[in-house]
Amino acid sequence: MAVSRRRFVTSVLAGSALAASSATEFFASPAQAASPPGDVVGKVTVGYQGWFSAPGDSAPIGGWWHWSRDRFQPPSPANTTIVSWPDMREYTRSYPTAYPNLGNGSPATLFSSYDQQTVDTHFRWMQEYGCDTAALQRFNPTGDEGPTRDAMTLKVRSAAERHGRKFYIMYDVTDWLTMQSDIKTDWTTKMSTHTASSAYARQNGKPVVCIWGFGFSESSRPFTPGPCLDVINWFKAQGCYVIGGVPTWWRLGREDSRPGFLDVYHAFHAISPWMVYRTDTLEGLDSYYHNVNIGDLADCAARGIDYLPCVMPGDLAGGHRRHGDFYWRHIYNMVRLGSQGLYVSMFDEYNEGNQIAKTSETQATTPAGANIRALDEDGVACSSDYYLRITADGGRMLKGQLALTPVRPTPPMVGTPPPATGNLAAGKSTSASSQNGSFAASNAVDSDAGSYWESGGGSFPHWWQVDLGASHQVNKLVLRLPAGWGARTQTITVQGSVDGNSFSTIAGASAFAFDPATGNTVTRTLTTTTARHIRLSIAGNTGWAAGQLSQVEVYASSGTTDTAPTAPSGLTVTGKTSSSVSLAWTASTDDNGVTGYQVRQGGTVVATVTGTTATVSGLSASTAYTFTVTARDAAGNTSSASSAVTVTTDAPANSDLARDRSTSESSHVQSYGSGNVVDGDANSYWESANSAFPQWVQVDLGSARTVGRVVLKLPPSSAWGSRTQTVAVQGSVDGGSFGTLSGSAGRNFDPASGNQVTITFSAAQTRYVRITVTGNSGWPAGQLSALEVYAS
């Protein structure tokens, strides 16, 4: 898709319901799909660009299409459109670039999508990792891209047929000002012929077409509602099932959506709201879930529209991925919501770092010093297929083949992590005691030999430091200054640390003589030392009154990396109060010895201990928390996380036990679902199907609690006249067998007394509280705006 489509970032949700987020919350009765399972409903669809080419691949467009800003020059750090590097090991043909060699010394090469073998490789991965359908992106085909895109459709069709995958055409109307007539011509004369393929996706017996971009507020999509409705209705008249790739805020007509487009959005058979770059945190995903996605699904369900939300792995270049936790949370949220299918953005989007296709694992297989992050960018080793494996698990969870779980099932690395080879410092995070002007510390690890770090003024010593991302057996150092500089000697001490705080000396202060006759390069063999952080302390410089470095290269013995501890096992909850949770686990093992453990809530460390027990305090009452534990060793390595445990803190004395808990129901109409009875909003309500008594609504308290009173409410508005509902209260500890807590009786709701009824009964241990309604004098359905449950 066009870059502008990615970069439109909306504001983070103000006043969000983040506090209501719970790792264990889900709808017990998810929304029913408007359509039965097909090639998009009940399936995982991946966006497929297929837009890369290289000189010599015979593509009509010629040049380095989508690899370079200037496609007639080879891609390089100064001429590029990509921020991630593909894992090139499975391509039979590759093309040399102007990037520096990879960290392991191999040439930096890239693939061409125009090679059929590339497309076959991608669709084989889709087959192996459960990607059911590919949405082939199609931009304005009337320009010079048209012939290449036409040919790519044939290649995708062939690969989909060979590997048992489905595909459909996804039109992007960005900058396509004549789309109203052009898109019809393109479909009639070119793309509709592909619907004859057994691999062309169908839903409800109709060929699938997606139109991405109607209603977006960006100037590149200036369309008014009329032409958009005309195009949608034209495709529907052609017998197509039409999906809308719509703005995030489509339903409310603000932020990234133009106002006045609701009729356009409601004309689609399915809606897929855009989410890329809308948030980069787990909290942001939860906020969208509560404040946007729930309402979106209700709106679609009320109109018979399939809801196919976009899910994303996160921007690798921006450090958003959290070694898979971000992607899994997004998938989990959309599956627990009850979405009818998932649209993954994207399969091969190396341009913006949100690809799930196989990606370089370490700097050893990434161009040296090019500032391109590999999958281990946060210090956690990930195999190149990791995000494909997460997609496979997400697809199984969507289809009910894997239990709904907030904990990602697949580990980042399967098997032994690859050894780190080549320059370990290339592109890594740096810091320094000071810098002079724009001569930043990061210049010493980039790919430009002419850029350099220079410390600020003042007396020596000055220092420069790099974080290698993980501990390594460091044994060699290469330092450089720009080749044209005059000779000078700097006095340097080499120090190392596993934690970034406590440093030891690897090599004492000595003279590093930089001479232009030898390339201004100094190489030193070091005593092999386990270190993650390398610091160069500079005590003098004969050529300038500051520390100066243009390139720092760090190497490890035999490319080895110290082994991380095993993951802690057997994590259990040993106690809890309304404000704390106590945990215990089985110790990890490590060749260097385990030095401590970190208890994590999501990605946040909430306790650090040396033993195998911990108590986390300062928690909120009646709130679900999910914890994991990691181990650290003497070399500073961190283990994989333990299995997660989820626990709900105790409620404060006699508080509402039902607030924000999971609910279910016998039925509901329109958007009046069971969740409304525990949301704290007096004006939202549950309403069952009409004229079909008995009806019921129930709440899951999360665990068995002592229950002795319920409060039932209707909206306080005077518009809700007095009525009597015949109500019984039942309880269950297992959700299967219910007993009577309070027998069926007429309960009078009167606006003069707040439209609420209190029912008390003998206290009992109950997890599930059910309200059964068998009559209502005011409306032929069960109605409640609040179900509050109390211990007494």
Side-chain angles (χ1 to χ4, degrees):
M1 299 297 180
V3 169
S4 61
R5 141 177 180 176
R6 298 281 198 277
R7 295 296 181 185
F8 189 93
V9 182
T10 57
S11 61
V12 175
L13 297 165
S16 69
L18 285 179
S21 175
S22 164
T24 57
E25 179 184 355
F26 64 95
F27 291 133
S29 299
Q32 295 299 307
S35 302
D39 292 336
V40 291
V41 171
K43 299 297 193 295
V44 174
T45 299
V46 295
Y48 189 66
Q49 301 284 22
W51 63 6
F52 297 103
S53 70
D57 63 3
S58 302
I61 196 168
W64 292 94
W65 188 40
H66 282 279
W67 289 124
S68 298
R69 284 198 305 272
D70 177 358
R71 76 171 191 252
F72 299 108
Q73 298 297 323
S76 68
N79 179 41
T80 189
T81 64
I82 62 171
V83 297
S84 290
W85 197 263
D87 177 0
M88 292 295 297
R89 288 176 292 185
E90 295 183 50
Y91 300 102
T92 58
R93 187 179 183 189
S94 62
Y95 299 82
T97 71
Y99 271 95
N101 285 347
L102 307 182
N104 60 18
S106 300
T109 63
L110 292 168
F111 64 79
S112 167
S113 302
Y114 203 77
D115 291 336
Q116 184 68 56
Q117 188 271 337
T118 295
V119 186
D120 282 336
T121 297
H122 289 167
F123 274 76
R124 173 172 57 80
W125 292 346
M126 293 181 202
Q127 180 185 41
E128 292 172 350
Y129 297 97
C131 304
D132 303 294
T133 303
L136 176 60
Q137 316 296 287
R138 187 166 177 82
F139 292 84
N140 182 353
T142 62
D144 66 345
E145 294 185 1
T148 303
R149 290 197 179 277
D150 293 347
M152 285 306 307
T153 307
L154 289 168
K155 296 174 188 293
V156 165
R157 173 177 175 173
S158 174
E161 290 172 349
R162 242 188 314 277
H163 295 283
R165 302 298 89 188
K166 303 293 184 178
F167 79 100
Y168 63 81
I169 300 301
M170 188 174 194
Y171 284 107
D172 188 316
V173 298
T174 302
D175 292 320
W176 192 359
L177 302 185
T178 56
M179 68 87 196
Q180 187 177 3
S181 58
D182 290 351
I183 200 170
K184 300 172 186 176
T185 301
D186 185 71
W187 179 257
T188 302
T189 60
K190 294 181 179 178
M191 295 297 102
S192 64
T193 60
H194 296 293
T195 64
S197 169
S198 61
Y200 198 87
R202 291 182 173 270
Q203 184 61 51
N204 304 343
K206 302 177 179 181
V208 177
V209 172
C210 181
I211 304 169
W212 194 98
F214 286 170
F216 280 81
S217 58
E218 295 165 279
S219 59
S220 56
R221 306 173 193 94
F223 313 107
T224 57
C228 298
L229 269 173
D230 172 68
V231 168
I232 295 169
N233 290 329
W234 183 85
F235 272 102
K236 291 166 79 171
Q238 307 307 302
C240 295
Y241 175 91
V242 189
I243 302 172
V246 301
T248 311
W249 295 89
W250 63 275
R251 180 169 46 87
L252 300 178
R254 61 184 177 87
E255 301 283 350
D256 60 346
S257 174
R258 297 178 188 272
F261 265 76
L262 201 55
D263 287 343
V264 173
Y265 303 141
H266 286 157
F268 288 112
H269 290 115
I271 283 179
S272 184
W274 191 237
M275 273 298 294
V276 174
Y277 282 106
R278 272 33 178 182
T279 184
D280 57 14
T281 67
L282 303 182
E283 292 80 7
L285 291 175
D286 290 342
S287 180
Y288 274 102
Y289 168 80
H290 285 286
N291 295 302
V292 176
N293 304 130
I294 289 175
D296 282 359
L297 179 62
D299 185 284
C300 289
R303 290 167 174 80
I305 298 171
D306 295 318
Y307 189 60
L308 310 173
C310 167
V311 294
M312 53 190 176
D315 175 16
L316 179 61
H320 302 164
R321 294 203 173 192
R322 293 167 176 79
H323 47 271
D325 288 346
F326 183 87
Y327 189 26
W328 187 254
R329 177 69 67 85
H330 206 182
I331 293 173
Y332 165 71
N333 278 353
M334 294 304 97
V335 173
R336 68 170 169 149
L337 178 68
S339 303
Q340 279 85 61
L342 300 177
Y343 174 76
V344 179
S345 179
M346 304 283 290
F347 186 85
D348 55 341
E349 179 61 278
Y350 294 98
N351 304 87
E352 294 183 359
N354 63 329
Q355 75 287 344
I356 62 170
K358 296 186 182 184
T359 298
S360 175
E361 298 170 344
T362 70
Q363 288 300 317
T365 51
T366 307
N371 286 326
I372 294 178
R373 294 191 187 209
L375 289 181
D376 67 347
E377 51 88 21
D378 65 354
V380 177
C382 303
S383 61
S384 68
D385 69 342
Y386 178 39
Y387 289 87
L388 290 168
R389 287 190 282 115
I390 293 177
T391 305
D393 285 338
R396 288 193 288 271
M397 190 165 68
L398 172 72
K399 298 166 187 175
Q401 300 163 358
L402 176 70
L404 183 69
T405 173
V407 181
R408 52 176 170 77
T410 191
M413 176 63 66
V414 174
T416 303
T421 58
N423 175 19
L424 303 174
K428 293 298 175 65
S429 176
T430 59
S431 56
S433 56
S434 62
Q435 72 177 57
N436 178 23
S438 62
F439 305 118
S442 59
N443 289 345
V445 295
D446 65 14
S447 60
D448 182 359
S451 69
Y452 60 95
W453 164 73
E454 183 173 290
S455 68
S459 60
F460 289 101
H462 302 288
W463 58 263
W464 177 96
Q465 180 175 315
V466 61
D467 178 357
L468 304 179
S471 291
H472 300 272
Q473 301 293 309
V474 173
N475 74 338
K476 188 174 76 169
L477 182 69
V478 179
L479 304 184
R480 305 180 196 275
L481 291 178
W485 284 20
R488 68 201 64 199
T489 297
Q490 298 188 68
T491 304
I492 299 175
T493 299
V494 183
Q495 298 173 302
S497 170
V498 295
D499 59 8
N501 295 313
S502 177
F503 283 83
S504 61
T505 298
I506 300 175
S510 63
F512 282 65
F514 296 88
D515 187 340
T518 56
N520 267 339
T521 299
V522 178
T523 300
R524 288 289 171 86
T525 299
L526 307 173
T527 300
T528 300
T529 305
T530 299
R532 170 173 175 167
H533 304 266
I534 299 296
R535 176 178 289 184
L536 305 179
S537 180
I538 303 175
N541 184 346
T542 62
W544 195 256
Q548 296 173 313
L549 297 167
S550 69
Q551 285 188 316
V552 176
E553 300 174 9
V554 180
Y555 297 87
S557 58
S558 304
T560 57
T561 304
D562 185 71
T563 303
T566 61
S569 59
L571 180 62
T572 57
V573 176
T574 57
K576 60 176 180 157
T577 68
S578 61
S579 61
S580 67
V581 171
S582 296
L583 303 166
W585 56 90
T586 302
S588 299
T589 59
D590 182 76
D591 53 356
N592 274 316
V594 174
T595 58
Y597 298 88
Q598 292 180 328
V599 179
R600 298 171 181 257
Q601 180 195 338
T604 303
V605 177
V606 292
T608 300
V609 297
T610 56
T612 57
T613 62
T615 297
V616 182
S617 303
L619 305 177
S620 300
S622 300
T623 303
Y625 291 92
T626 298
F627 298 102
T628 58
V629 178
T630 58
R632 287 176 64 85
D633 66 11
N637 298 306
T638 299
S639 73
S640 299
S642 68
S643 296
V645 294
T646 298
V647 57
T648 300
T649 51
D650 291 339
N654 217 25
S655 63
D656 176 15
L657 303 176
R659 181 65 180 273
D660 294 322
R661 294 295 183 182
S662 298
T663 61
S664 55
E665 65 200 10
S666 55
S667 66
H668 75 268
V669 294
Q670 299 181 33
S671 61
Y672 307 120
S674 60
N676 291 339
V677 302
V678 296
D679 65 1
D681 182 353
N683 294 302
S684 69
Y685 60 95
W686 163 71
E687 181 173 300
S688 73
N690 292 339
S691 305
F693 290 116
Q695 297 287 337
W696 56 265
V697 61
Q698 77 181 39
V699 59
D700 176 1
L701 304 181
S703 61
R705 305 290 186 92
T706 299
V707 174
R709 175 168 59 101
V710 298
V711 177
L712 309 180
K713 297 180 181 180
L714 289 178
S717 169
S718 59
W720 283 73
S722 179
R723 67 200 65 198
T724 298
Q725 297 191 71
T726 305
V727 169
V729 184
Q730 297 172 296
S732 171
V733 294
D734 61 6
S737 176
F738 282 82
T740 298
L741 298 175
S742 181
S744 181
R747 320 286 181 172
N748 184 43
F749 295 82
D750 187 343
S753 56
N755 258 347
Q756 71 178 43
V757 170
T758 299
I759 304 172
T760 59
F761 42 83
S762 298
Q765 283 288 301
T766 300
R767 173 172 175 172
Y768 301 87
V769 177
R770 176 178 290 185
I771 306 299
T772 299
V773 184
T774 54
N776 185 344
S777 65
W779 193 256
Q783 296 173 311
L784 287 178
S785 69
L787 165 55
E788 298 174 359
V789 180
Y790 298 90
S792 61

